[in-house]
Amino acid sequence: MDGVVGVCLVGCGWYMCRVHCASLRKLRKKGVRVVAVCSRRAENRRRAVRKLGLIKEITEYASLGAALRDPRVEVCVVALPRSAACDAVVACLLAGKHVISEKPGAWSREEGERCWSALRRGVTWRVLENWAFKPGVRRVAEILDTLDGPRRYEFVVRQRPPSGWRLDECSEMERVIDVCVHVARAVRAWFGEVEVLGRHETGAVGRIDFEWSDEDRCSCDVWCGGGGERKVTYDVARRVIVLVDGQKEIVAGDPWIEGGAKEALAAALGEISRNGDEAPETSAEEALRDLAVAQAVAGAPFRRLRRFVAPAATPQHTWVARPRSARDATDVSGPTTIVSGPTTIVGASSWGRPSKPAELAVRASLLDRVLGVCDGACVVEAGVTLRRLVRALAARSLCLPSLPVFQNATIGGAIATGSHGSSAHRGTLSDDVLAIDIVRDGHRFWLARDAAGFDILAAYDSSDDGPARRVDASLFDAARASVGRMGFILKLALAVVPAYRVKRRHETARGPIDETLEKKALDADHAWVHWFPSSNKHVALFLDVDSAGGDLYDGRNWFPYPKDLANALPRDVSSFYSAQYSVPLDDLSAAARDLADAIRPHLRDDDDAVIEIKFLRAPEEPVGAAPCAPNAAARAPGDRVACFNVYVPAPPPPWVTFFERFLQARGAHPHYGKGGLFPPKGDAGAVC
């Protein structure tokens, strides 16, 4: 969907007018325009139009059928009481309109499946759950990231008599559901999917208590075990979080309307306007998972929602699945899934290039918990972003040995694509993997090695069909950088080091790339070169360990760029193309000389050709570089490589084609996580 998005408001009661109309007025600048309002009551329609300030541009409809026939209407925002909500959502979906409805996504499993069955290819249903965006809920998640998280929890909800605009003629169970979908979203965001609802017979390792004392007061206590009794309290009404050490902090912007309601609507409209399915917070399947938990709290049997595979919004995929647990991932990848065509694993799409076309896209965005941190390792789910992991480790005075610049990627995607920083003394992120939990063809594999000796400790197939069995340990090497070809990563254990400080310096020089630069790269802890082959100029950035006066290393210490470099790089570009090839470090100067000769004839006068040179080290034996990782170009374990990288606006200029052809002909090792290259699919233990 491009350009202006035409919106129809379905239901113009006080909630729509008070909450959504103000947000929609601000979103006009982003191409969102209300073209119609629909309500049985004329006074409600007129009030909504006044709130929107668009009296001459909006058509009023008394019936939903008439509104759905308006060709300008592309998105219906539905805010109706319980008795009318489901029918309205189904009618809008069947009419081919995108739908944004209020929580709960449905009031029963039957209603949810009825709405779900009305979904069609190219039509999106999103549900507004403001607790997914509530600053206090997100802050509690950040606090839990810094704790030694226990693996099991229970939660208790102390109910209050709910009331509100949705609840005309509601049963007592439905009134409880209206409250508990909030609770379910917070619990699932903090601790993952609810597999079993009930008390642990041996006692819970952790516990969450929610208490709703009246219409305006809600508080929750999170009790964390593992390292003694520790408690985090979040008082929703007072916007206060009491931390583990007793300190308090006020959560700004956390009242009812400001606490996520505006953000939820903006996120839902944003995903619809750009045909995206990256953000799970407003997805209908998440809302229906909340419903399953809330129904169980209200007294109904707890039944997990399985195989919720949604129609994809992106044109290169037909379906999209977002597993939140190992069982979800096994369902999606197993032989009984409803999708029989090819599957692709999609990360956070941080490069901005389309993922490989397939019938089903599987996203890890809901597997986003930091499960535990200790002095030598951390355990994280694959959907945690690098940025979030860096923050969680910094709170414990730890860090990953080397980090890439772009940190919006998920850790699973960064590992699978061999992402890396630039240091001749350190390797890629895949070299830091101590253990990997992966699902392939309906089977789950746990592959591990020892942090000190790099010995394979276990490589087991732990499928539900029988006891764990030992499998080929070479799966570990293949899985560490497989570009999604080996299966879906659930969680990872990564080696971490004590946080260290670095100080930046830079040098600008003219002349060929020679052995002097190689030596300088070896002398620095981190080194990154920007080379301009047309003028033989290069700008070298260095990070040196400086425990006294440096800044904590976080992968972003290269910035801000020196002025002479910043002025030469492209700006304000929405889409980039990147490709990278590695050669042994002792071949750098010869490869650079020949590369310059190969591309200079193809440079136009307006081409600002910049080639980055990065450095990597291959790990020592017995576990070397993953076959598909960029440092696999090393001649021997422990050797160094130099990486030629281009990062240019898409589509790439012609000289980039000759850049790639030359390095491919020279036998340079490609970075399979970039550009359009994918490794060949092989059996276990093969290249990938």
Side-chain angles (χ1 to χ4, degrees), residues 290-364:
D290 293 338
L291 171 66
V293 177
Q295 280 190 302
V297 172
F302 179 56
R303 294 188 294 173
R304 293 182 66 257
L305 299 178
R306 303 184 69 176
R307 298 177 186 153
F308 258 102
V309 179
T314 50
Q316 66 269 29
H317 303 126
T318 306
W319 304 93
V320 62
R322 301 177 185 84
R324 193 187 264 277
S325 66
R327 188 182 300 181
D328 286 350
T330 304
D331 288 346
V332 169
S333 69
T336 59
T337 181
I338 65 170
V339 179
S340 58
T343 298
T344 186
I345 313 299
V346 182
S349 299
S350 59
W351 284 111
R353 68 179 176 89
S355 57
K356 193 174 184 182
E359 186 172 353
L360 173 67
V362 184
R363 294 187 175 276

Side-chain angles (χ1 to χ4, degrees), residues 636-666:
D639 281 1
R640 277 85 174 181
V641 302
C643 311
F644 293 100
N645 181 72
V646 292
Y647 184 65
V648 296
W655 68 266
V656 173
T657 300
F658 293 93
F659 164 88
E660 295 202 64
R661 286 179 180 174
F662 169 80
L663 289 169
Q664 289 169 3
R666 194 182 181 91

Side-chain angles (χ1 to χ4, degrees), residues 576-593:
F576 282 92
Y577 178 87
S578 186
Q580 178 177 301
Y581 296 83
S582 305
V583 299
L585 182 59
D586 56 15
D587 190 32
L588 170 61
S589 55
R593 180 188 63 245

Side-chain angles (χ1 to χ4, degrees), residues 49-95:
V49 171
R50 288 195 302 270
K51 289 279 187 180
L52 291 164
L54 303 170
I55 297 176
K56 296 182 180 180
E57 302 177 29
I58 296 178
T59 304
E60 298 182 25
Y61 293 102
S63 72
L64 180 58
L68 295 178
R69 289 191 292 271
D70 189 332
R72 300 172 303 161
V73 174
E74 298 168 282
V75 181
C76 294
V77 179
V78 179
L80 291 171
R82 181 259 179 277
S83 58
C86 179
D87 289 341
V89 169
V90 171
C92 294
L93 292 173
L94 292 178

Side-chain angles (χ1 to χ4, degrees), residues 486-524:
M486 288 298 298
F488 181 79
I489 299 174
L490 293 171
K491 61 177 180 285
L492 298 139
L494 300 171
V496 298
V497 298
Y500 60 95
R501 295 180 177 273
V502 295
K503 193 169 184 177
R504 192 188 69 174
R505 58 185 173 88
H506 80 279
E507 298 178 3
T508 301
R510 292 187 182 274
I513 301 295
D514 56 19
E515 291 80 1
T516 304
L517 185 60
E518 297 174 16
K519 184 178 183 304
K520 290 179 178 180
L522 289 169
D523 289 341

Side-chain angles (χ1 to χ4, degrees), residues 406 532 559-576 606 608 610 647-650:
F406 297 102
F532 301 82
F559 305 111
Y561 283 135
K563 286 186 178 180
D564 55 344
L565 178 58
N567 293 335
L569 297 178
R571 301 180 182 179
D572 301 326
V573 179
S574 59
S575 180
F576 282 92
D606 58 345
D608 296 323
V610 183
Y647 184 65
V648 296

